[in-house]
Amino acid sequence: MWITRNVVQFGSPRASGDDCHETIETQLAYCSAAGLTGARILWQRDLWAILFAQKVLDLSEPGSMANRRRAQ
């Protein structure tokens, strides 16, 4: 029944207790909205995937770890 609910009927309305998955495109959009760059799919099979994204740190930012160390 799990495969029917979550693979065959992917995208259908969900009820409490069901697995609620986001599409890869939606997850990549979340990465972009969070300020991550280079978001891409490293591996995908059925409804599982490994995504990669990175955040470049701005070390000149007042709260950055580099500035905290300098202040000590």
Side-chain angles (χ1 to χ4, degrees):
M1 297 233 2
W2 184 91
I3 290 177
T4 300
R5 279 193 325 269
N6 296 291
V7 178
V8 176
Q9 298 173 350
F10 181 79
S12 64
R14 298 288 168 207
S16 179
D18 286 343
D19 290 340
C20 297
H21 303 282
E22 296 285 5
T23 64
I24 289 175
E25 291 78 16
T26 299
Q27 292 181 53
L28 291 172
Y30 289 155
C31 291
S32 179
L36 302 174
T37 60
R40 63 185 185 272
I41 304 161
L42 296 180
W43 173 86
Q44 176 185 3
R45 181 173 180 198
D46 299 324
L47 59 120
W48 295 277
I50 297 173
L51 306 178
F52 170 86
Q54 60 187 11
K55 176 135 182 139
V56 177
L57 298 177
D58 181 358
L59 298 179
S60 66
E61 219 173 81
S64 76
M65 290 302 291
N67 283 333
R68 288 184 204 163
R69 286 189 194 116
R70 286 184 204 130
Q72 294 174 350

